[in-house]
Structure formats: structure tokens, C-alpha cells
Amino acid sequence: MLAVLLSMSFSEESSSSSSSSLNGDAYALLFNALRLIPISHYLLALSLLFVIVIYNFLEFHFVEDLFSGFRGSPVRLTFNSSSPIYDGVVSKCKIVHGRYLVTPWLSSPHIQTAFLHFFGRPPCFSYRRQLFRLSDGGMIALDWLMGSTGPGDFFHANNFISKDDTTPIAIVIPGLTSDSAASYIRHLVFNTAKRGWNVVVSNHRGLGGVSITSDCFYNAGWTEDAREVIEYLHHEYPKAPLFAIGTSIGANILVKYLGEEGEKTPVAGAAAICSPWDLLLLCLLLFLPTNAVCSHCASYKSRSIRDFDNHATCLVGKFETVDTYYRNCSSSTYVGNVSIPLLCISSLDDPVCTVEAIPLDECRANKNVVLATTWHGGHLAFFEGITAAGMWWVRAVNEYLGVLHSSPYMHVQKKVQEPGLHLSTESSIDQGPYLNVSEDGMVAAVGNEQTRNSIVGDHQTNSEMVLDTEQDEQLTGAKSDAVPNTDRTCEPPANTPDTELRNLTASVTSCWNQLSQRNKRSMWLLAYVAIITTWPLVGSALRFIFGKKRKNVLSATLTKR
């Protein structure tokens, strides 16, 4: 029995050793075979693997377009089944009912977006700049391009608009860190003015070469600047229909403004392009790096947009948390209250404003909203043609606004008892964003009671035109570093005694008005601090005066005795 077991173990060991030797021989043969393959074949295989990885990572769709015969993909429209805006306006627009084909050599949303940012091929023309003073003392640039039906006339910005002019005015609200010099803005302005419309770009605070002149800054939900500009244009040109176009963050601001105003807005129609819609969801899905333009504004070194909003935007705007800021500023919660014709355009492959944030149900529930989505297009790109000379969404918006202007579906503002008063729901977004900077360098966030009081009390200050000059510098797409110092309308007054007295009185009155517009607690606190700080001096003076009188009384009494 023992001999049998020993023989079996010996046979197993021999079989395992033979199998291992066979495996070793097989690996050696395989290695020798691989050595026989030329290195160029390996390089070709690695190149092919790299192309496949890059193709999928950058979401290229050139092969799909090739197999479809470069016919493009149809545009998907989302609207209410009983929408009069679709039946009377959008149904007559051929572009949104057609197909969109991306420029073949830009068949990637990331490549399209990068090409728009670095190149864009913007048209060349000059703006006419108007510096507009806001009610809180801030300054923004309104860049105009006047429309003309004559060939080539729209290249000159020397025209002015009369009070009785009925030419439509298109108000453009750019995206985050963009101004009138951005490539996509220039494409939109040029093509809209070429149709005969007057176009004005409402630059955000601190952009367009204009420095920040007040203690207020904008954010993704700050609608006060857009509201003031729209009210000013409606007051200055009452016979000209107003149309608004928002892009990216500008689209979010525009939709939020339209939802807040409802039927009170003087805007006749609007378009929102590539809106982020849901900022909280967008922040959870993306980890965007902080833009270099705003990274130095926060004392904390932010690594993402969320970090910047958490340490800067929430502090300035007095939001409880960054999620509160995102919820209150998301336009998806306001699109249901929009009461004017609104066309929204989004791309399903947008690398910035992702498809998950698009409020399909909210847009479908509102009869005034039509949502157009394309399979491709990137973020604000939508290039078309072999040379990528045009942008599809620009053509779609111009056609939509043209059809709307010639239809009876333009919105007409409903009169209210107090047109200067803006009532909005109480939320933390309405508490700022303002900064109060004292002389000793202390910074504190304050509310916007001053702005509201100024809007209600003084309409002329709200719509004051400060400067109206031409930009002699030819803009070719690059952002200007500073506003040209070409103030020809404001001459300094002579330094006469009467003038100096009036200036001093005006300064004191202005300071007192600003202090009186603060809340009562601040006034009482200021009075308390004044009494406490000056009491030692006042007390000493009182003791000196009354002590002297007391000595005089005592000396007179003793003399009589």
C-alpha cells in the first residue's frame, strides 16, 4: 500500500514538472514570436488605441456623421400641446424644424467649445459705448451697434436712436466673464444688426474694460442690473419693442428675471441660449476649475467654482450656504412663471451645462416656452459649414425673433400702479450682494435697502446716462483693457465760491441721505457710539463750565454776608 502511494506521488510530481516545462516552453515560443513582429506594427497598434481613447474621451461623432451621409441630426422641440407661441411663431421657423450638422473637423463638443474660446472667427466692427450709471452708484458699459438695411452701413456706429424710433432693440446679456468682445457675442450682434435691428450689449459689472465703482457685484442670479437696463431702455425708447437674448449665465439671469417680473416686464420676447438651469445639480455633476479672472477675488485659494462660491459669493451675497445660493439662483424654478414668448436652445452634448439640468417638464408645462435641443453643438458653439464661419443658434434666434416681431404674439407690458417698485419673494438672493467698506479697511456685507429706496424714490438716478461716446478703437475680438478716457460731455465747473459751497452742500446732503437710508438700528448704533466716544470731552467741558459758575455764585453769596 505504501509503495502504491509513493508511486502515485512520484507520478504527480513528474506530471507537474512536465506541465510547467511545457508552459515555460510555450511562453518562450510566444515571446520569440512577438519579437518577430516589427516595431512599426506595435507603434501602429498603440496609435490606433490612442485614437480610440481620445475619440471616446472627447466625444467625437465624425464616424456617426460619416455613416449618416453628413445629413445632420433633427432638432427636438419640447412645448405645451396648446401653446399659442408654438402654433403662431415657432411653427413658422424653418431653422428649428430642420437639421443641424456640425462642421466636420469640429465634430466634438469639447473641440467646438475650445475653438469658440480661442478663435471663434468673430466679425470686425466697432461699438458705440454708453456708460450707464446704476442706482447704487455702479457703472456698466452698454455697447451699441445700430442696424441698417443698407449694405455695409451697420459697420459704422455713428447713428443715434430718436425717441420716436420704432426699430426693435435687442438686448444681449453675456455669459460668465464674457463681454461684448467675446466671439459668440460679436457673431450675434453682427447678424442681428444686419437684419436692421438696433443691438445693445449689457456688460456685467467689472467687465468690458469698466472698473467696479460701487460696493456691489453680480452673480448667477443677480437680476437687478438687467432690470434697471431694461426699464431705462423702455423709458428712453417707448415706441421701440424690446427683445432680450441671454447666453449661458446671462440666460440664467434672463429667465430668472422674466420669472420674477411675470407680465410686468416690458420685454416683448426673449431667447435663452445654453442656460445652466439647475446650478446645484450642475455643481454636483461637474468639478469646474476656478476661472483665473475671479480666483484672486477670494482670500481663500479656491480649487473649483464651488470653492469660490462658498468662500466669496456666499460671503458677499449673505447666503447661508453655497447650496442655498445655487437653489435660489437656478432659473429652473422660475421658468414656470415666464409670461412672455421664450425660446430656449440647449445642446445635449454641452460639456458645461449638462443635459441632466435641462427642465423638460417645466418647459413643457408653460405655454409661453418652447425648448429646442440639438444632439450636438457644444457650449455656445454650434458651428456650421465647412469653414465654421457661421453659428446655427444665431440664425435660429434671429429667425425666431423676426417671426415673433411680425406676429400678434409679442408681449405687451401690463400697467401697474407703481412701475418703479419691484416686489419679489423674500430670499437670501435679495439680500445683496453688497459690500460696505469702511475707512479703516473693515469689510462687511449689507443688504440692498438702499438700492430699493433709490429705485422707488428717484427714477432719474436709476436711468442716468453718464457718457455717450464712440469707440475709435477697432475691436477684433480681443477684450479691451480699459475704457478710453474720452469724456467730451462733462466739463469741470469753475472753482467759484458759490460752486464750492454748492458742491459741499451736495456732498453733505448725499452722505446724510445714504446714512438715513440705512436701517434704524444702524442709526441708533451710530448715535450711541458717538455719545460714548465723545462723553469724556463733553463731560470735562460741562464740569469746567458749571464749576466756574458755582464758584461765582458762592463768592457772591459770601460777599453779601
Side-chain angles (χ1 to χ4, degrees):
M1 186 66 182
L2 181 60
V4 174
L5 293 175
L6 291 174
S7 62
M8 291 178 62
S9 62
F10 178 76
S11 61
E12 290 177 356
E13 291 178 358
S14 60
S15 62
S16 62
S17 62
S18 61
S19 62
S20 62
S21 62
L22 290 175
N23 291 334
D25 295 339
Y27 284 125
L29 292 174
L30 179 60
F31 181 73
N32 292 331
L34 293 175
R35 291 178 59 185
L36 297 176
I37 300 175
I39 298 179
S40 60
H41 292 188
Y42 285 108
L43 296 177
L44 180 62
L46 290 176
S47 301
L48 181 61
L49 180 62
F50 178 77
V51 169
I52 293 175
V53 171
I54 294 298
Y55 186 90
N56 288 276
F57 179 76
L58 295 180
E59 303 178 59
F60 277 95
H61 47 84
F62 179 81
V63 175
E64 293 87 338
D65 295 341
L66 178 62
F67 284 126
S68 66
F70 293 104
R71 297 176 56 247
S73 56
V75 181
R76 177 184 175 184
L77 297 177
T78 302
F79 55 92
N80 192 286
S81 58
S82 58
S83 171
I85 305 302
Y86 175 79
D87 296 335
V89 180
V90 181
S91 62
K92 301 177 182 179
C93 299
K94 297 181 180 179
I95 296 178
V96 295
H97 284 87
R99 307 172 74 91
Y100 168 60
L101 175 63
V102 184
T103 299
W105 50 277
L106 292 175
S107 57
S108 164
H110 306 279
I111 300 298
Q112 274 209 79
T113 305
F115 182 82
L116 174 65
H117 179 74
F118 292 105
F119 304 100
R121 297 185 176 179
C124 297
F125 58 87
S126 296
Y127 290 106
R128 179 172 64 86
R129 169 151 294 187
Q130 170 189 347
L131 293 182
F132 178 76
R133 186 181 297 278
L134 298 162
S135 60
D136 61 354
M139 189 85 69
I140 62 174
L142 301 181
D143 290 334
W144 289 84
L145 184 63
M146 306 306 170
S148 176
T149 56
D153 291 342
F154 48 84
F155 287 104
H156 303 283
N158 298 326
N159 301 328
F160 292 89
I161 307 176
S162 63
K163 280 277 189 178
D164 299 330
D165 195 350
T166 59
T167 304
I169 298 177
I171 308 167
V172 180
I173 305 177
L176 183 66
T177 71
S178 295
D179 55 19
S180 58
S183 298
Y184 67 92
I185 295 294
R186 296 180 69 85
H187 276 282
L188 174 63
V189 171
F190 180 84
N191 287 276
T192 306
K194 190 165 61 174
R195 297 172 60 93
W197 288 25
N198 297 323
V199 188
V200 56
V201 181
S202 178
N203 295 284
H204 298 295
R205 298 184 184 223
L207 299 178
V210 179
S211 302
I212 300 176
T213 59
S214 68
D215 52 3
C216 179
F217 199 63
Y218 81 100
N219 56 40
W222 182 245
T223 59
E224 294 300 325
D225 293 352
R227 180 174 293 106
E228 289 194 36
V229 171
I230 291 173
E231 291 294 337
Y232 160 72
L233 294 175
H234 178 62
H235 178 266
E236 288 293 316
Y237 315 107
K239 296 184 179 180
L242 301 179
F243 298 88
I245 306 170
T247 58
S248 192
I249 288 295
N252 187 83
I253 294 174
L254 175 61
V255 174
K256 184 175 181 290
Y257 158 77
L258 295 176
E260 292 173 346
E261 291 294 300
E263 295 184 352
K264 297 184 299 181
T265 177
V267 178
I273 314 301
C274 294
S275 174
W277 294 111
D278 193 332
L279 300 177
L280 179 60
L281 179 60
L282 198 66
C283 181
L284 296 176
L285 294 175
L286 300 176
F287 188 79
L288 298 177
T290 307
N291 191 285
V293 175
C294 59
S295 60
H296 67 278
C297 297
S299 59
Y300 176 82
K301 187 176 181 180
S302 303
R303 300 182 182 89
S304 65
I305 293 295
R306 183 181 179 88
D307 288 342
F308 176 79
D309 290 335
N310 187 30
H311 295 89
T313 307
C314 291
L315 179 64
V316 175
K318 296 188 65 176
F319 298 100
E320 293 82 1
T321 63
V322 66
D323 290 344
T324 302
Y325 161 63
Y326 288 148
R327 290 191 186 97
N328 291 341
C329 293
S330 296
S331 59
S332 58
T333 59
Y334 293 86
V335 68
N337 298 328
V338 175
S339 301
I340 71 169
L342 174 64
L343 174 65
C344 305
I345 297 178
S346 296
S347 173
L348 299 181
D349 66 351
D350 193 324
V352 179
C353 303
T354 58
V355 62
E356 292 83 1
I358 300 178
L360 296 174
D361 294 336
E362 288 82 353
C363 292
R364 186 182 295 109
N366 193 332
K367 298 180 180 181
N368 300 303
V369 178
V370 176
L371 172 65
T373 54
T374 60
W375 287 101
H376 307 295
H379 186 66
L380 296 173
F382 296 85
F383 286 105
E384 59 183 356
I386 298 298
T387 60
M391 305 176 73
W392 177 86
W393 70 266
V394 172
R395 292 197 302 117
V397 168
N398 283 329
E399 182 189 37
Y400 160 74
L401 294 181
V403 175
L404 177 61
H405 178 241
S406 60
S407 71
Y409 295 96
M410 284 195 306
H411 170 72
V412 178
Q413 182 186 26
K414 287 192 173 182
K415 301 297 182 181
V416 292
Q417 294 181 355
E418 297 180 2
L421 179 63
H422 170 65
L423 300 178
S424 60
T425 57
E426 291 295 332
S427 62
S428 57
I429 185 61
D430 296 321
Q431 305 302 322
Y434 297 100
L435 286 178
N436 187 11
V437 184
S438 60
E439 294 182 357
D440 57 356
M442 297 184 62
V443 180
V446 297
N448 61 346
E449 293 86 356
Q450 178 181 352
T451 302
R452 293 189 179 184
N453 293 336
S454 299
I455 293 175
V456 176
D458 190 1
H459 181 72
Q460 295 298 328
T461 303
N462 181 27
S463 59
E464 177 184 2
M465 188 199 317
V466 178
L467 181 63
D468 192 9
T469 63
E470 299 176 9
Q471 283 187 318
D472 298 330
E473 180 181 1
Q474 187 77 10
L475 298 178
T476 58
K479 297 182 179 180
S480 56
D481 296 331
V483 179
N485 189 10
T486 57
D487 191 347
R488 306 188 185 96
T489 60
C490 299
E491 295 292 337
N495 293 327
T496 61
D498 295 339
T499 303
E500 294 179 357
L501 180 60
R502 286 197 299 268
N503 293 337
L504 179 61
T505 306
S507 300
V508 174
T509 305
S510 176
C511 294
W512 175 253
N513 290 336
Q514 292 182 6
L515 287 175
S516 63
Q517 287 171 355
R518 302 294 183 186
N519 51 45
K520 295 182 179 180
R521 181 180 300 178
S522 300
M523 292 295 296
W524 283 112
L525 180 61
L526 181 61
Y528 173 76
V529 172
I531 294 173
I532 293 299
T533 54
T534 59
W535 177 250
L537 180 62
V538 175
S540 300
L542 292 177
R543 283 196 299 270
F544 175 77
I545 295 173
F546 287 105
K548 188 175 181 180
K549 290 184 177 181
R550 183 180 179 184
K551 290 181 180 179
N552 294 332
V553 172
L554 289 175
S555 60
T557 304
L558 293 175
T559 303
K560 290 180 179 181
R561 289 180 180 180

